[in-house]
Amino acid sequence: MVEEKAPAAARTGGGGIHRKETARPSSLSEVSIQEDTRMLTHMEELDRVLGGGIVPGSLTLVGGDPGIGKSTLLLQVCRRLAADGRKVLYISGEESLRQIKIRANRLGEFSDNLLLLCETGLRTVEQTIRSVMPDVTIIDSIQTMYDEEISAAPGSVSQVRESTNVLLQLAKGLTVSVFIVGHVTKEGTVAGPRVLEHMVDTVLYFEGDRHASYRILRGVKNRFGSTNEIGVFEMKQEGLIEVRNPSEFMLNGRPEGASGSVVSCSMEGTRPILLEIQALVCHSNFGIPRRQAIGTDFNRVNLLMAVLEKRLNLQMSDCDAYVNLAGGMRIVEPAIDLGIAMAVVSSFKNRAIEDKVIVFGEIGLSGEVRGVSMAEQRVAEAAKLGFTTCILPEVNRGQVKHIKGIRLIGVRTVRDAVDFI
């Protein structure tokens, strides 16, 4: 037994980063930055969501449902960073070294730069990070970290907050990039991610059904890049594989010549994504018609159907209506309003829309079609996938440069769009 004196900067449960007592304020002109300090993961989808790579000293939260693929993604990141000569420390509180080895064998060969540690004690984790001094540290997961000084169960609010506070100090003080994994249940009420969002630099959420093959990584918060950026992955036997062209797989299997189907375009961060909007409108056998929306806002669909009834004199008050965004995407952008309206009208009149037509635009309560942002990028993505006609707001038509192979049709009202189709 060796007696040691406690450090003067011992934590008392509060936040903040410990600095020297002689620290002085600096003017903004004195602060120097280096733009080339980001670490690339060599996974283009992940680098895009992070804003161009991993920033040294950053603290990133990766949240999602259990079993969605968070640990698999981070283990693949460790493999690529270690192959680049980066020292990576993977700390797991949920799996043994043998379990991690079995999972790693599916992903390929790993470099000796990857170090593994199975530990849940917060103080042991802190000492290990200080002694190893890795470039990147993975904490899987934050709910398993435990501080003996706090009389609360692992995974509680106080334990999770204190653990994150310690990791925040290590990240900023030692310039170590830290990724922490947080599990989210269906209700989203777990103490982990919701409590930590204001403490970390970047918040990434894994979305999608764990029984399906596709996963969407969405950047909810990012101090070093744009928010709401997404990366698309496909879960296979050898791990998560990047989907370089999400629009192509979103439209895969689209029916030809079927009524109630139309293609629209939504912007996810800086990326345009083409998706199929499906609608089914049929007469109801009950006194109260049923309305259902999958992948978009239910109240928005009701609003658009009310506009169609009022402005186009379509009697749909006695009809059931179902709207679905194919591919499992969740879109709330108003730019798909015109696509939803066209799909509903197509199903109601049982008339198919041409396969090479794409529509986008926001609809107001008086039936006007309002302009949307980044219209040129949407049209360019549609032209790249072979669409020949684009119906868009009239205010955006003059802003879009001529793109070879696609015809632009500007509309001012939803009636103009319906009459053209």
Side-chain angles (χ1 to χ4, degrees):
M1 303 295 292
V2 179
E3 183 179 0
E4 294 183 358
K5 184 179 179 180
R11 281 172 298 276
T12 59
I17 303 170
H18 296 295
R19 303 293 187 188
K20 297 179 180 179
E21 294 181 359
T22 58
R24 64 176 183 84
S26 301
S27 64
L28 188 62
S29 59
E30 295 176 356
V31 180
S32 62
I33 59 174
Q34 297 179 359
E35 294 294 340
D36 57 345
T37 57
R38 290 180 183 258
M39 291 179 286
L40 296 178
T41 64
H42 300 289
M43 299 179 70
E44 294 182 5
E45 296 295 303
L46 178 58
D47 287 335
R48 178 189 294 109
V49 178
L50 290 173
I54 302 174
V55 177
S58 61
L59 184 61
T60 302
L61 170 66
V62 182
D65 298 336
I68 199 70
K70 303 181 296 297
S71 300
T72 300
L73 175 66
L74 292 177
L75 197 57
Q76 289 182 238
V77 171
C78 292
R79 175 174 176 265
R80 303 201 179 197
L81 290 174
D84 267 359
R86 306 282 186 178
K87 185 183 292 187
V88 183
L89 177 61
Y90 189 96
I91 301 175
S92 176
E94 301 178 343
E95 297 177 294
S96 64
L97 295 177
R98 178 180 175 84
Q99 289 175 311
I100 299 175
K101 177 66 175 180
I102 294 174
R103 187 154 50 90
N105 287 337
R106 299 199 327 262
L107 305 179
E109 296 292 332
F110 279 76
S111 168
D112 292 337
N113 292 324
L114 174 61
L115 306 177
L116 301 178
L117 175 66
C118 294
E119 181 61 50
T120 58
L122 182 61
R123 302 306 170 185
T124 305
V125 169
E126 180 183 5
Q127 294 174 4
T128 304
I129 294 176
R130 290 185 181 277
S131 61
V132 175
M133 289 296 293
D135 296 314
V136 178
T137 300
I138 310 294
I139 306 295
D140 187 11
S141 66
I142 193 64
Q143 277 92 353
T144 61
M145 293 295 106
Y146 179 73
D147 188 357
E148 295 180 354
E149 297 179 3
I150 300 177
S151 58
S156 61
V157 176
S158 55
Q159 286 283 3
V160 168
R161 185 186 292 115
E162 176 62 19
S163 300
T164 305
N165 179 46
V166 172
L167 295 172
L168 176 63
Q169 296 179 31
L170 292 172
K172 304 304 180 183
L174 305 178
T175 319
V176 176
S177 300
V178 179
F179 285 81
I180 57 178
V181 176
H183 296 302
V184 182
T185 60
K186 293 180 179 179
E187 294 80 14
T189 56
V190 173
R194 297 301 178 188
V195 173
L196 307 181
E197 285 186 354
H198 72 283
M199 302 177 65
V200 301
D201 298 315
T202 306
V203 179
L204 307 180
Y205 272 99
F206 237 166
E207 302 174 356
D209 187 358
R210 64 177 178 176
H211 302 294
S213 60
Y214 293 108
R215 306 284 192 271
I216 296 174
L217 183 67
R218 186 183 303 275
V220 179
K221 171 188 176 182
N222 193 350
R223 290 173 178 164
F224 313 112
S226 62
T227 58
N228 211 32
E229 198 77 49
I230 71 166
V232 183
F233 298 88
E234 182 181 3
M235 179 63 80
K236 293 187 177 180
Q237 179 67 26
E238 59 272 19
L240 288 164
I241 306 300
E242 300 175 74
V243 178
R244 302 295 176 85
N245 192 351
S247 299
E248 187 174 358
F249 95 80
M250 289 291 178
L251 300 179
N252 189 22
R254 181 180 173 227
E256 298 181 359
S259 62
S261 174
V262 67
V263 176
S264 187
C265 183
S266 174
M267 294 298 300
E268 293 293 329
T270 58
R271 161 185 278 179
I273 293 184
L274 271 59
L275 48 96
E276 179 191 1
I277 301 176
Q278 299 175 335
L280 179 63
V281 180
C282 55
H283 287 283
S284 176
N285 295 322
F286 305 96
I288 301 177
R290 184 178 182 183
R291 306 285 169 85
Q292 187 172 357
I294 301 176
T296 187
D297 187 16
F298 169 77
N299 295 322
R300 191 74 180 177
V301 173
N302 284 335
L303 183 148
L304 293 174
M305 293 189 65
V307 172
L308 294 175
E309 290 184 357
K310 179 72 173 180
R311 306 303 174 187
L312 273 68
N313 296 324
L314 299 179
Q315 300 300 322
M316 295 185 291
S317 59
D318 58 345
C319 294
D320 294 335
Y322 307 90
V323 176
N324 174 46
L325 268 60
M329 290 285 290
R330 172 73 183 175
I331 303 294
V332 294
E333 189 191 18
I336 65 172
D337 285 355
L338 191 58
I340 295 176
M342 293 301 99
V344 170
V345 173
S346 172
S347 178
F348 179 73
K349 294 189 174 184
N350 200 24
R351 296 184 60 181
I353 300 175
E354 293 183 10
D355 296 332
K356 298 301 182 180
V357 174
I358 181 172
V359 299
F360 61 85
E362 180 183 356
I363 296 179
L365 292 182
S366 60
E368 79 278 11
V369 178
R370 297 177 174 270
V372 298
S373 62
M374 306 178 74
E376 188 170 351
Q377 288 88 332
R378 302 174 197 258
V379 176
E381 180 73 10
K384 185 172 68 174
L385 291 181
F387 287 85
T388 58
T389 304
C390 178
I391 301 177
L392 72 166
E394 179 65 30
V395 295
N396 289 132
R397 189 167 68 94
Q399 303 171 357
V400 178
K401 299 179 182 179
H402 176 70
I403 299 177
K404 184 178 180 180
I406 190 167
R407 182 170 56 132
L408 303 181
I409 306 297
V411 295
R412 299 183 183 276
T413 64
V414 65
R415 180 178 291 276
D416 295 340
V418 171
D419 291 344
F420 175 80
I421 292 178

